[in-house]
Amino acid sequence: MKKLLAIMVLCLCFATTSQADDIRDFQIEGISVGDSLLDYFSKKKIKKAERYDNTNSNYKSDKFFSIRLKNIGKYTEMMFSIKKNDESFKTYSVQGLIKHENNISECYKKIDKISDEIESLFIKAKKTKQDHAHTGDKTGKSKLTTINFTLSSGDRISIQCYDWTKKMKYWDNLRVGIYTKEFTDWLNR
């Protein structure tokens, strides 16, 4: 009986040490922050991608920009944030978006399921949840639900449901994102 108890305790110790504590342990379609987009896409495809920077987004400076690529794996779109003039195209954020047009209730079911999975992987992460009006809709009728997992490094995993009004002409979506502390600090300044 003592041997069985000792084996169970050892198994629990090894299971705990296998929990993720580095943001790079989390991937979306096999891509994580710190990876070069050149490992997954051609330079031509990256350069032709739809680009968001300080000229057409809420970014306050041009240190970073984001690109959007459509139909990657199970995602309707993926977004990647990289530094300006970085020819290695190293990622500082990776986001996967799944369209939920006319069925936002499915998004809310998925956000809770994904949250449980992330919580089991990043057991030491600080979890926060927020529901609020989306600032992009001046009427205040579009809603955003966000669950963030912040690691001790300051890196973050975020799951979001975007519930847009028809007037906004955007599609409702589920977003799963990985963000380095460096990118998040720049974004929030």
Side-chain angles (χ1 to χ4, degrees), residues 11 13 50 110 124 129 148 155 188:
C11 287
C13 289
E50 194 172 355
K110 287 181 182 177
K124 294 181 181 177
K129 183 174 182 180
N148 284 319
D155 296 332
N188 292 326

Side-chain angles (χ1 to χ4, degrees), residues 121-186:
L121 290 172
F122 295 90
I123 57 175
K124 294 181 181 177
K126 179 183 176 189
K127 179 182 176 181
T128 57
K129 183 174 182 180
Q130 186 179 31
D131 295 300
H132 58 87
H134 194 289
T135 57
D137 181 354
K138 301 301 180 207
T139 69
K141 293 180 181 176
S142 296
K143 303 296 178 197
L144 179 59
T145 298
T146 302
I147 300 174
N148 284 319
F149 291 88
T150 305
L151 282 61
S152 59
S153 63
D155 296 332
R156 186 180 79 207
I157 299 170
S158 182
I159 318 155
Q160 300 172 302
C161 284
Y162 284 73
D163 184 5
W164 295 103
T165 63
K166 288 186 182 0
K167 193 173 185 177
M168 291 300 294
K169 298 183 182 176
Y170 297 127
W171 35 269
D172 294 344
N173 67 87
L174 168 71
R175 253 181 227 207
V176 179
I178 315 167
Y179 306 88
T180 62
K181 181 181 185 321
E182 181 181 1
F183 180 74
T184 303
D185 287 350
W186 171 81

Side-chain angles (χ1 to χ4, degrees), residues 53-55 57-65 186 189:
D53 59 22
N54 65 313
T55 64
S57 72
N58 291 333
Y59 292 170
K60 293 176 178 66
S61 80
D62 65 351
K63 179 178 179 181
F64 287 96
F65 67 93
W186 171 81
R189 62 186 183 109

Side-chain angles (χ1 to χ4, degrees), residues 6-100:
I7 291 170
M8 288 175 59
V9 169
L10 283 173
C11 287
L12 287 174
C13 289
F14 287 121
T16 302
T17 59
S18 70
Q19 301 299 318
D21 60 355
D22 185 336
I23 195 75
R24 290 176 299 245
D25 292 336
F26 192 76
Q27 301 174 342
I28 300 174
E29 289 299 327
I31 306 169
S32 189
V33 293
D35 291 352
S36 168
L37 288 181
L38 294 171
D39 293 337
Y40 305 95
F41 310 104
S42 70
K43 193 172 194 174
K44 182 178 179 182
K45 184 171 185 163
I46 296 166
K47 294 261 187 188
K48 282 188 167 189
E50 194 172 355
R51 183 175 170 148
Y52 298 89
D53 59 22
N54 65 313
T55 64
N56 64 348
S57 72
N58 291 333
Y59 292 170
K60 293 176 178 66
S61 80
D62 65 351
K63 179 178 179 181
F64 287 96
F65 67 93
S66 295
I67 62 168
R68 272 190 170 180
L69 296 170
K70 297 186 184 308
N71 302 317
I72 299 174
K74 64 182 174 185
Y75 293 96
T76 309
E77 292 184 347
M78 285 190 70
M79 292 180 68
F80 306 96
S81 296
I82 53 185
K83 285 185 178 176
K84 182 181 178 184
N85 301 321
D86 176 8
E87 289 299 313
S88 72
F89 299 101
K90 178 181 172 183
T91 59
Y92 291 83
S93 81
V94 177
Q95 298 176 63
L97 292 76
I98 298 175
K99 194 175 195 175
H100 279 284

